[in-house]
Amino acid sequence: MTAAAVRRVVVTGMGVVSSIGIGLGDFTEGLRSGRIGARRATSFDVTGFPSELVGEVAGFEPERWIDDPSRLGRASQFAVAAAAMAVEGVDLDYLRARRALISIGTTNAQSQDVDAIATTAVLDSPERMDPAIARRVTSQGIPNDIARSLGLSNVDSYVIGTACSAGNYGIGDGVDAIRLGEADFALCGGADAASRRTFAAFHRLGLVAPDACRPFDAGRKGIITGEGAGVLLLEDLESALARGAHIYAEVLGYGLNCDGVDPVAPTRESVARCIRLALDDAGVKPSEVGFISAHGTGTKTNDITECNAIRDVYGDSPPPVVALKSMLGHAMGAASSIAAIGCVAAMNDGFIPPTANHREMDPECAIDCVPNAAVSAQVDIVQNNGFAFGGDNAVVVLGRYDRSSR
Amino acid sequence: MNAVITGWSAVSAYGFGRHAFTEGVVSGRATAAPAMEGAPDTHVCWVPDLDPKNILDGKGIRHLDRASQLALATFSELVEPGVDTGERAGVVLGTTAGSHQVELDQIRDTHRNARPHHLAPKQVASGTMNCAAAQCAIRFGIHGPNTTVAGGRGAALHALGYARRLLAMDRADSVIVGAVEEATFARAWFTHAAGTRPGQWLGEGGAAFRVEPSGTSRPVLAEVLGIGTRLALNVREGHLPKPQVGEGGLHDTLATCVREVLARAEVSPSSVHAVVGPEPEGLFKDLADVPDLSFMGDTGSVSSAYAIVTALGVLRLPGEVVLVTSADPDGAVACALLRLGNSRSDHDG
């Protein structure tokens, strides 16, 4: 079965909770202006760590979207809020009468809840763990909370736990479910909450930048850990047209594969193969892609490997390659879904987002990273990369719905 | 395209491999053994003699979380080089939450060590949920789609649905689907505090099965006739679990889910010969006896994988239709309708 033989999948809603903006408008303005989300962490104690900057979500008022936010962990709050934004304006009875896939990617799921009861267990006694928190540490609670908040029972609802590319996995999952007619609509993407343990783990690996995330920069020192959620409402083109939905973009295709080589370091050949799988699935030629939203973590290894893999596919003159993590921090399992939303917003608003904090291009990367300031551009098709520890790669290709070449 | 299952393996409280699983499940032997120190219960249904030295070549296994070790042990009996390896072979592995033990150990390290980020270095890679699936890819050379599905008790059924889509979209030629779950101090306490395994010992293990498009040259153990999922919306009120009966409860939602799958597959309830897992009340008559899998304890996400391999390897109902079900305390219900093949699957005997 080829993509051409199956239903076309369009984006008809987008919700985002991020360190640079909450809601599509605020987030898009953040991207366009090169806003930096890194700030001193407040949601966990950073005393004693070598750095204290986190791409933390600030000014989040969960009660705007959730009746009783205290019932939900922080990652669930982000996910439920983002899902509520994605379905804003859609008749809930319409959704409840249809079959849904809710596929949410995450690295650390209910990380702060796990940290909380684990801390009680090791510093106090496991007998004093909060039962309410213990009940909600199962990862599946995140998509289930989305379904419950919207009153959706006719769902397949689960988490994709494929670490830092999980958001793209979620989007791809939704695409296939709709193409095959297994779901009428999908709420998919990713969610993660920054946590003490995650912060410690990336510090232990020596991958955290002390001051700023500088992808592709000769002086880059690593990531800024982050958090947030990006949830997309996907449905097939015909149903979207029939209900008069606003169509933000088309998901043209995706690809996924596994390096199967190293638990941590990415592999150039495998990443290149994943890009080719995605472009083939989308029926897109490299020359049609207007910019690439890179995984772009700002670590030594990732950025060189990724740029080389891009050149393997695109040749020596690839389109601009931008790293939204320079602004957002690394929102883990949410990262690639937030970036996908950023790609759509940028296409629709006619700009290419910048790579912030940039000073000097690493000659081993040698790409146009759109340093520090967004540029105006008419872009029809974008490639969005996501890679993970374990070698789990997923690349999503998005297109403007009203592009000329469809 | 219909998906078919052409192989399976299991690591369980009854031991390693298909034969041990089949023999143990049929025997209905208790498996509980003394729990780990400081556990909330006196007993745990361990996988006996899980020794990193005996998994693959033994190298680097000791540092992995127990769930990843169980995954590698489970895959060892199933993976056929050339069939389950390379760029066109995939892995879809279910879990509840990866390794809570690694998370708890790391949190302890952040509080007890000189600096909060001084975590045990070799444990860091085990700190993400996809460690087990990724280790399987690395150790066996499986370079196609590699997805970790976190889905509670029904994880293997959600994973089967996901894998079926991968095959339907031609993203892989074969996919190993399964689930792993570890019995650890952390999981024992987390589930104890949550109250989600009343009266059950903690269990652990792994089970996996190969899913391919129909038309494969390998003998078919079962054809997947349908998969269904739903979410019960009425299982939580605030922080408290509600009774699981009535509209919107787990039982009613499972019954709805099963009726939908039967209708889509055009299979009448009277054609279903056995149900492995929670049985929807009043829907079926004259079902075949199914062994009680609860002697292996609460195996979490693996319970649905064990249910599937029980249908494949333990039930002796060639050509008949079997329903596999699951119901998770958080509300997710799932089922798969299988038509068993005429092949015997315990070919290692």
Side-chain angles (χ1 to χ4, degrees):
Chain A
M1 191 182 292
T2 63
V6 294
R7 306 200 291 178
R8 289 173 61 183
V9 180
V10 292
V11 181
T12 52
M14 299 193 291
V16 59
V17 176
S18 81
S19 64
I20 65 163
I22 295 167
L24 189 58
D26 191 20
F27 170 68
T28 306
E29 189 45 42
L31 284 184
R32 189 202 295 272
S33 62
R35 198 180 289 158
I36 309 289
R39 48 181 66 87
R40 188 175 195 279
T42 60
S43 69
F44 61 95
D45 182 10
V46 290
T47 307
F49 281 100
S51 75
E52 53 190 30
L53 290 179
V54 169
E56 193 173 86
V57 171
F60 178 57
E61 298 166 337
E63 58 281 355
R64 282 179 61 194
W65 301 277
I66 305 166
D67 286 341
D68 181 5
S70 69
R71 288 166 53 182
L72 306 182
R74 187 168 170 88
S76 263
Q77 289 183 3
F78 291 159
V80 170
M85 295 174 206
V87 302
E88 195 180 309
V90 185
D91 179 4
L92 287 184
D93 286 333
Y94 174 91
L95 297 178
R96 287 169 188 153
R98 281 162 178 79
R99 174 72 182 167
L101 173 71
I102 307 183
S103 183
I104 301 297
T106 190
T107 298
N108 293 304
Q110 309 282 18
S111 54
Q112 292 209 349
D113 287 345
V114 172
D115 280 14
I117 58 173
T119 297
T120 302
V122 300
L123 295 185
D124 187 357
S125 160
E127 289 178 20
R128 277 191 277 280
M129 290 190 299
D130 184 336
I133 295 179
R135 275 188 72 79
R136 67 190 196 202
V137 297
T138 60
S139 312
Q140 194 181 19
I142 296 174
N144 288 354
D145 284 335
I146 292 175
R148 276 188 280 264
S149 73
L150 300 174
L152 303 174
S153 175
N154 190 8
V155 296
D156 194 1
S157 161
Y158 53 82
V159 150
I160 294 191
T162 309
C164 298
S165 51
N168 266 357
Y169 275 76
I171 294 170
D173 194 9
V175 167
D176 281 353
I178 290 165
R179 281 175 170 179
L180 292 165
E182 288 190 17
D184 299 310
F185 69 96
L187 286 165
C188 51
D192 253 301
S195 77
R196 179 180 176 87
R197 189 183 70 85
T198 311
F199 198 54
F202 278 94
H203 268 297
R204 188 69 185 87
L205 292 166
L207 295 177
V208 180
D211 56 344
C213 174
R214 307 181 194 282
F216 317 121
D217 193 289
R220 67 188 179 280
K221 292 204 166 69
I223 71 169
I224 296 289
T225 63
E227 63 178 1
V231 174
L232 295 87
L233 173 60
L234 305 183
E235 61 189 297
D236 75 290
L237 176 59
E238 279 185 30
S239 81
L241 292 173
R243 71 178 181 89
H246 178 72
I247 297 173
Y248 290 92
E250 180 172 0
V251 189
L252 300 173
Y254 82 107
L256 74 180
N257 73 346
C258 183
D259 299 351
V261 175
D262 189 276
V264 181
T267 309
R268 172 177 175 170
E269 295 73 20
S270 182
V271 168
R273 186 166 70 84
C274 189
I275 295 171
R276 289 194 189 97
L277 286 169
L279 294 174
D280 286 351
D281 190 55
V284 164
K285 294 190 284 288
S287 60
E288 296 175 288
V289 174
F291 73 87
I292 295 170
S293 161
H295 186 57
T297 53
T299 63
K300 288 283 178 206
T301 309
N302 175 84
D303 293 1
I304 293 174
T305 306
E306 183 170 17
C307 290
N308 283 332
I310 287 170
R311 271 190 292 273
D312 288 345
V313 177
Y314 281 83
D316 287 335
S317 305
V321 177
V322 301
L324 307 193
K325 290 184 180 72
S326 61
M327 295 175 275
L328 292 154
H330 190 339
M332 303 290 144
S336 48
S337 63
I338 294 174
I341 292 171
C343 291
V344 171
M347 279 193 291
N348 288 338
D349 283 20
F351 71 97
I352 302 178
T355 299
N357 303 315
H358 197 75
R359 295 189 293 212
E360 183 192 352
M361 177 56 63
D362 181 346
E364 287 196 76
C365 294
I367 37 88
D368 171 13
C369 73
V370 187
N372 301 323
V375 296
S376 294
Q378 163 82 29
V379 170
D380 282 347
I381 294 174
V382 176
Q383 172 191 322
N384 184 49
N385 291 353
F387 315 135
F389 284 173
D392 291 334
N393 309 311
V395 174
V396 168
V397 181
L398 300 137
R400 276 164 57 105
Y401 174 60
D402 61 356
R403 69 188 184 281
S404 53
S405 60
R406 64 193 166 89
Chain B
M1 183 220 77
N2 276 353
V4 298
I5 301 175
T6 62
W8 67 278
S9 65
V11 168
S12 70
Y14 293 119
F16 293 82
R18 288 182 289 270
H19 182 75
F21 182 82
T22 306
E23 187 273 327
V25 164
V26 169
S27 77
R29 276 198 312 278
T31 65
M36 69 287 281
E37 195 184 340
D41 319 279
T42 57
H43 288 73
V44 166
C45 301
W46 302 102
V47 169
D49 306 319
L50 182 72
D51 185 346
K53 290 197 293 292
N54 296 333
I55 298 169
L56 298 172
D57 62 3
K59 289 192 182 121
I61 310 285
R62 184 164 59 91
H63 304 293
L64 297 172
D65 56 289
R66 195 169 166 90
S68 294
Q69 295 179 7
L70 288 163
L72 293 173
T74 304
F75 272 52
S76 292
E77 202 195 22
L78 179 57
V79 172
E80 285 184 30
V83 176
D84 303 304
T85 58
E87 296 182 354
R88 293 285 298 169
V91 172
V92 184
L93 197 58
T95 179
T96 302
S99 175
H100 279 319
Q101 188 61 46
V102 171
E103 297 175 321
L104 186 128
D105 289 345
Q106 291 184 334
I107 279 294
R108 182 187 294 109
D109 286 348
T110 71
H111 291 294
R112 297 264 172 88
N113 292 346
R115 300 284 299 274
H117 61 294
H118 288 179
L119 309 181
K122 288 181 173 160
Q123 210 179 24
V124 173
S126 277
T128 55
M129 261 190 278
N130 66 333
C131 181
Q135 280 295 322
C136 289
I138 292 167
R139 306 275 177 164
F140 294 100
I142 308 171
H143 300 294
N146 182 277
T147 306
T148 298
V149 170
R153 289 201 184 147
L157 296 169
H158 298 285
L160 176 58
Y162 181 97
R164 197 171 63 155
R165 285 195 291 278
L166 290 180
L167 295 173
M169 291 304 300
D170 197 28
R171 298 188 190 280
D173 293 330
S174 70
V175 181
I176 293 183
V177 179
V180 289
E181 206 74 82
E182 60 180 22
T184 55
F185 175 91
R187 188 168 152 253
W189 273 106
F190 286 13
T191 52
H192 174 80
T196 48
R197 53 176 179 91
Q200 260 200 312
W201 305 125
L202 188 69
E204 65 171 358
F209 43 95
R210 180 192 305 113
V211 186
E212 302 179 72
S214 55
T216 169
S217 59
R218 276 167 287 283
V220 171
L221 304 181
E223 180 186 1
V224 182
L225 301 179
I227 301 169
T229 56
R230 268 188 173 264
L231 181 70
L233 295 176
N234 200 21
V235 300
R236 281 207 290 191
E237 182 66 41
H239 300 313
L240 299 172
K242 287 182 77 170
Q244 303 290 289
V245 294
E247 192 178 344
L250 269 185
H251 292 306
D252 277 22
T253 307
L254 177 61
T256 303
C257 176
V258 168
R259 275 194 294 268
E260 287 169 344
V261 166
L262 290 170
R264 270 204 305 277
E266 297 179 350
V267 169
S268 73
S270 61
S271 303
V272 175
H273 275 64
V275 176
V276 192
E279 185 190 326
E281 277 172 40
L283 209 55
F284 302 109
K285 284 189 297 226
D286 304 324
L287 293 171
D289 286 339
V290 169
D292 184 350
L293 303 180
S294 69
F295 294 109
M296 294 181 285
D298 178 357
T299 55
S301 65
V302 180
S303 62
S304 53
Y306 280 161
I308 288 176
V309 301
T310 296
L312 301 176
V314 179
L315 302 184
R316 290 285 176 257
L317 298 167
E320 303 295 357
V321 176
V322 173
L323 181 72
V324 173
T325 62
S326 74
D328 188 84
D330 197 50
V333 300
C335 66
L337 199 61
L338 308 176
R339 185 186 301 283
L340 300 185
N342 295 304
S343 312
R344 284 179 61 86
S345 60
D346 49 347
H347 44 73
D348 60 335

